[in-house]
Amino acid sequence: SKEMMIWDRLEKRMVELQEAERARNTNTKFVLTGHSLGGTIAEIVAAKQCIPALVWSAPGTLYSQAYFSGNHTGSVSEERMQRNAVVVVPDNDAVPRVDSQQSVVQRIQCFRKHHMPVNFVTGTAECHKIQKSACEVWRVCGDSMQRDFDETCHDFIAQDERGKLYPVLNHPILHKG
């Protein structure tokens, strides 16, 4: 079927790359990545092939996982999704909330520059961007190689915000009342 073509092509290509690297006697480690629907495809292939995936703003995979599940080699189980895939989910991005996530979820914040809130109604337009998500990870975690992504991230992060956590303003456990 047409639906299977995308999955099968990516999976076939991954197997070809892995075999080519094995033939060259390399210890190459593969990590699949993708954004949005491409992230969901990467998650499914990663689970089927038992290789790691780090995906960004991908829709949930409960129904896709069920489509590929079964009692056969390469079956996509919830356990394989959890062992092999991590999905980065920005706050106020509706796309990763379509369907239920079966992989490990790493939430990240989504604010405008200078900790300005993003409206939930319009948040997906801002928070779904891969560039914004990557800049948020850089803001909080930095870069062990000391690369400067300021040129890429200047629209999203002020220089004085780098390496700082935003305060929790409305956490229900911390703020009673």
Side-chain angles (χ1 to χ4, degrees):
S1 74
K2 273 186 169 180
E3 296 83 27
M4 294 298 290
M5 287 174 51
I6 294 171
W7 312 100
D8 291 340
R9 281 190 4 223
L10 180 58
E11 186 175 3
K12 182 181 176 192
R13 184 67 180 132
M14 270 309 309
V15 170
E16 289 170 356
L17 288 169
Q18 287 174 315
E19 288 173 356
E21 290 302 308
R22 272 195 287 274
R24 291 185 350 191
N25 291 322
T26 66
N27 267 345
T28 302
K29 304 280 189 237
F30 288 91
V31 177
L32 290 179
T33 191
H35 175 256
S36 201
L37 183 57
T40 301
I41 294 169
E43 284 180 272
I44 296 294
V45 172
K48 287 182 80 175
Q49 293 296 315
C50 292
I51 57 175
L54 174 64
V55 302
W56 305 81
S57 295
T61 53
L62 178 65
Y63 296 111
S64 300
Q65 174 233 328
Y67 183 78
F68 291 99
S69 294
N71 296 322
H72 53 82
T73 303
S75 176
V76 177
S77 66
E78 184 176 358
E79 180 180 9
R80 281 185 169 203
M81 296 296 289
Q82 291 171 351
R83 285 179 183 247
N84 295 296
V86 175
V87 58
V88 178
V89 176
D91 292 341
N92 294 328
D93 182 355
V95 173
R97 288 158 178 81
V98 172
D99 199 356
S100 296
Q101 296 291 343
Q102 300 300 296
S103 301
V104 173
V105 173
Q106 175 61 57
R107 289 185 50 220
I108 61 172
Q109 293 179 322
C110 180
F111 286 98
R112 291 187 183 112
K113 208 172 193 176
H114 304 294
H115 195 213
M116 297 303 296
V118 174
N119 181 314
F120 184 75
V121 175
T122 60
T124 296
E126 290 182 62
C127 299
H128 189 68
K129 297 175 183 172
I130 183 74
Q131 182 181 3
K132 182 160 183 53
S133 293
C135 290
E136 174 61 11
V137 170
W138 178 62
R139 178 188 72 79
V140 174
C141 301
D143 178 44
S144 63
M145 297 174 68
Q146 301 300 310
R147 293 172 291 191
D148 184 0
F149 295 102
D150 194 51
E151 186 175 323
T152 301
C153 297
H154 74 276
D155 288 339
F156 306 112
I157 300 166
Q159 252 185 344
D160 64 337
E161 293 176 304
R162 283 194 249 157
K164 296 180 182 171
L165 297 178
Y166 290 138
V168 177
L169 302 177
N170 60 354
H171 196 283
I173 295 172
L174 299 177
H175 302 284
K176 295 179 182 181

